[in-house]
């Protein structure tokens, strides 16, 4: 996921581009943390646990979640599942609790996977919303209906603050629950999810669909109240010919709504030793674009650890000979691996030794990140380790917006009182 910032743009646009052209205010010390989290085993929570409870009432909506619904931050897509029958496909909503003066009709789909048959999966676009407003919404029929709320983002402005949570490779283990609970205390207003959602593909036969259902109920405690903006990972492919399932991303595409048409896309899919160099061909194609466009962040999961790089580029890499020429580059992105959500495959604790020059901080622990856009000049980034049940900020960096800083610098040069600025090394 490539991210940059030039001004505070619409929420979905922020996720895709974020053109806040930054310089990184950090030192040159490289850190490999030796902390290893061992509190809980990497095993999925049993299905009878209360975190997977089915809502009371006949055909009550479950697995409720919202995502960004447009390009401007004035719409959401509300999704839910009715397990037994179609039920109502309508969302009622309004600005006052239990007073719903507007409504929207959604679409419905379902699918089979092996002999599992999904419930009725509803997706409803709610648009023409006002900025920075709390909305209450209701779904379902009669006594089985359920009520939730969400907050729309602030009006677009260079100094409008906003906080993103960043989570990847979550799964549904006790470690996953720890990550989710700690994120919910972070003040994050929307989640950028980096792929590998339910890890249902670790199961076989009907259990694949059952574990998608349990995961949907698991994340509802957060995802029903704020947008989770999705990208797919390898665990969403679910290519299982032994079960007669050969359509990639079948479960994901039916269950997970994304506003890809709002960005004029035609498709909703767009240093650790583990998986090392797997994405090399993609890097060779895209890195020069990232550097030229001054993209600031590349967020990724997949590797089950945390790592942050310095700004460094390798655009002169000789793909044929294998010769590498990585250099510090203030126009290059910072690469952040946040694949430590807590899934059942465990942590990737094997790092290259010695630590490469491009690597600023790395640790094999479970956690999540937050990116706080403060104003037109500053953003704060934190990686939060789940330390023995407590949220611990372990890696923290201040980013400066190069676009605004450069303009400010020109004005200050005219007045001959320019202050020194720390550059990326």
């Amino acid at each position: 996921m490539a991210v940059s910032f030039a001004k505070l743009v619409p929420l979905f646009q922020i996720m895709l581009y974020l053109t806040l052209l930054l310089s990184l205010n950090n030192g040159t010390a490289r850190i490999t943390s030796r902390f290893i989290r061992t509190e809980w085993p990497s095993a999925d929570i049993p299905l009878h646990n209360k975190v997977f409870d089915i809502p009371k009432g006949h055909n009550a909506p479950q697995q409720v979640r919202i995502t960004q619904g447009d390009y401007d931050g004035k719409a959401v897509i509300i999704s839910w599942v009715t397990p037994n029958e179609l039920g109502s496909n309508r969302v009622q909503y309004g600005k006052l609790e239990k007073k719903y003066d507007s409504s929207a009709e959604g679409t419905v789909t379902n699918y089979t996977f092996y002999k599992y048959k999904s419930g009725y999966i509803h997706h409803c676009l709610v648009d023409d919303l006002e900025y920075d407003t709390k909305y209450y919404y209701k779904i379902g029929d009669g006594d089985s209906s359920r009520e939730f709320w969400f907050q729309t983002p602030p009006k677009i402005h260079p100094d409008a603050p906003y906080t993103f949570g960043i989570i990847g490779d979550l799964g549904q283990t006790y470690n996953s629950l720890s990550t989710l609970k700690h994120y919910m205390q972070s003040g994050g207003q929307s989640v950028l999810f980096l792929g590998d959602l339910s890890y249902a593909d670790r199961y076989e036969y009907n259990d694949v669909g059952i574990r998608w259902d349990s995961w949907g109920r698991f994340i509802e405690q957060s995802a029903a109240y704020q947008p989770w903006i999705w990208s797919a990972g390898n665990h969403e492919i679910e290519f299982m010919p032994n079960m007669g399932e050969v359509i990639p991303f079948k479960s994901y595409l039916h269950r997970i709504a994304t506003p890809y048409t709002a960005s004029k896309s035609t498709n909703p899919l767009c240093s650790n030793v583990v998986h090392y160099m797997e994405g090399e061909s993609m890097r060779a194609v895209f890195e020069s674009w990232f550097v030229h466009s001054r993209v600031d962040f590349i967020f990724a999961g997949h590797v089950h650890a945390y790592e942050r790089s310095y700004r460094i580029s390798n655009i002169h890499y000789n793909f044929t000979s294998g010769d590498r020429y990585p250099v510090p580059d203030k126009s290059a992105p910072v690469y952040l691996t946040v694949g430590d959500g807590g899934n059942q495959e465990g942590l990737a604790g094997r790092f290259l030794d010695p630590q490469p020059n491009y690597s600023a901080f790395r640790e094999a622990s479970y956690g999540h990140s937050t990116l706080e856009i403060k104003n037109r000049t500053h953003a704060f980034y934190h990686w939060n380790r789940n330390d023995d049940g407590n949220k611990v900020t372990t890696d923290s960096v201040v980013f400066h917006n190069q676009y605004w800083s450069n303009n400010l610098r020109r004005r200050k040069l005219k007045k001959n009182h320019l202050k020194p600025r720390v550059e990326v090394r």
Side-chain angles (χ1 to χ4, degrees), residues 173-238:
T173 70
Y174 289 102
N175 292 310
S176 312
L177 180 60
S178 177
T179 296
L180 185 58
K181 291 293 188 183
H182 293 140
Y183 165 68
M184 292 170 64
Q185 300 169 12
S186 72
Q189 296 165 273
S190 182
V191 171
L192 303 181
F193 198 93
L194 306 180
D196 290 353
L197 285 65
S198 69
Y199 283 77
D201 69 331
R202 300 276 292 177
Y203 292 85
E204 291 184 307
Y205 309 113
N206 289 351
D207 287 338
V208 176
I210 290 170
R211 276 296 180 173
W212 268 108
D213 288 331
S214 63
W215 189 80
R217 295 193 294 272
F218 172 70
I219 66 164
E220 183 186 273
Q221 57 192 294
S222 172
Y225 299 93
Q226 62 174 238
W228 282 43
I229 301 172
W230 306 99
S231 58
N234 62 298
H235 283 279
E236 280 68 73
I237 297 173
E238 293 182 340

Side-chain angles (χ1 to χ4, degrees), residues 311-326:
R311 290 187 182 274
I312 195 164
S313 68
N314 196 20
I315 56 178
H316 301 296
Y317 174 72
N318 188 317
F319 194 78
T320 303
S321 68
D323 293 335
R324 295 175 291 172
Y325 304 95

Side-chain angles (χ1 to χ4, degrees), residues 35 37 40 165-170 174-183 186 192-194 303-306 337-343 347 363-370 381-387 390-394:
F35 181 91
R37 180 181 173 87
W40 293 305
I166 302 159
I167 300 175
D169 300 74
L170 185 60
Y174 289 102
N175 292 310
S176 312
L177 180 60
S178 177
T179 296
L180 185 58
K181 291 293 188 183
H182 293 140
Y183 165 68
S186 72
L192 303 181
F193 198 93
L194 306 180
V303 176
H304 301 162
Y306 170 73
T337 300
V338 192
D340 51 356
N343 68 86
L347 292 167
E363 179 175 312
S365 296
Y366 297 114
H368 74 279
S369 294
T370 53
Y381 172 81
H382 308 273
W383 176 64
N384 305 287
R385 176 205 295 155
N386 302 345
D387 181 14
N390 300 311
K391 180 172 73 74
V392 176
T393 300
T394 308

